[in-house]
Amino acid sequence: AAVKTLRAITKPMKSLLTGISPLFGINNPIRDSASYFMNTEANAVHMVTNLGAYFVDRSTNSEMWQNFLFDTGKSSGGFVSGQTIFEQHPNDSKAVAKLRKGAQTVGRGLSFLGEVTENSFRYAEYKEGIRKYGNTPEGRRKAAQMAADITVNFSRSGSATKMADSVCLYLNANVQGIDKMARQIKAHPI
């Protein structure tokens, strides 16, 4: 019960700090692009073509884009999941409801920006995985794993870290970043 209460407090804070923060929308692409370029299995030509394909495939809602969404799921920002601090409440006055609705519109735009930057690198690595393993169920599963792991893989966590993340903001993101770096050093020693 205590963890659930703490999560109810930290979840809106995370949404404000990352999901709808304009600064995060600027900083995150820089961090994710560096992570992508260091961690990708693609060569330079494939990196550029895979990133370009993201914008084409997303805008045309291509079959590959649909497979990516199905295989990896959509980014899990607060607005994507529908759980934000700007949710309508039955006791809101008309003015508060209008203010919340305006904040939701701005927040969705900022969240979309974060989702685009996050998914562009994940999609590029997903395409590389399809190129490497083939467009088969097993190949798509491996490509989805590559996509999840190209930047910080937020779905990875142990039960203790997940519980502690409710109290210490972004603990799991930090642990996963360190873990990814350690795995890369082990896989590619100097």
Side-chain angles (χ1 to χ4, degrees):
V3 171
K4 203 173 198 178
T5 303
L6 290 169
R7 193 171 286 137
I9 295 167
T10 59
K11 191 170 187 174
M13 292 170 68
K14 286 181 178 181
S15 179
L16 283 171
L17 292 171
T18 56
I20 61 172
S21 168
L23 292 175
F24 184 75
I26 294 166
N27 292 333
N28 194 52
I30 295 167
R31 182 187 56 93
D32 283 351
S33 63
S35 181
Y36 173 71
F37 292 120
M38 287 187 297
N39 298 320
T40 186
E41 295 187 20
N43 63 33
V45 172
H46 290 168
M47 286 173 18
V48 172
T49 57
N50 290 345
L51 282 169
Y54 165 78
F55 296 100
V56 172
D57 291 352
R58 182 184 175 121
S59 66
T60 61
N61 202 25
S62 73
E63 182 179 350
M64 182 67 77
W65 174 250
Q66 290 298 314
N67 288 343
F68 170 76
L69 292 177
F70 180 80
D71 294 340
T72 65
K74 208 171 177 186
S75 175
S76 59
F79 284 94
V80 175
S81 67
Q83 299 174 350
T84 72
I85 62 169
F86 303 115
E87 289 176 354
Q88 299 294 327
H89 296 279
N91 298 332
D92 282 351
S93 67
K94 286 184 180 184
V96 170
K98 196 173 192 176
L99 182 62
R100 282 187 197 273
K101 189 171 185 173
Q104 280 181 330
T105 301
V106 170
R108 280 193 185 95
L110 294 171
S111 183
F112 176 76
L113 174 64
E115 181 185 326
V116 165
T117 60
E118 181 97 10
N119 276 340
S120 61
F121 299 110
R122 292 190 189 282
Y123 184 75
E125 193 66 3
Y126 178 81
K127 283 203 62 122
E128 188 61 27
I130 296 296
R131 183 184 335 274
K132 182 176 181 178
Y133 298 112
N135 195 358
T136 64
E138 180 62 16
R140 288 174 47 195
R141 185 187 65 74
K142 288 179 179 180
Q145 288 173 333
M146 287 172 62
D149 209 34
I150 195 63
T151 63
V152 176
N153 186 348
F154 298 103
S155 64
R156 287 179 55 137
S157 70
S159 56
T161 305
K162 189 169 281 214
M163 187 170 43
D165 193 59
S166 300
V167 179
C168 183
L169 291 176
Y170 303 107
L171 174 67
N172 187 52
N174 285 305
V175 169
Q176 294 312 317
I178 292 166
D179 175 67
K180 177 65 177 178
M181 183 175 60
R183 288 185 286 130
Q184 282 297 90
I185 290 170
K186 183 178 178 183
H188 307 286
I190 296 176

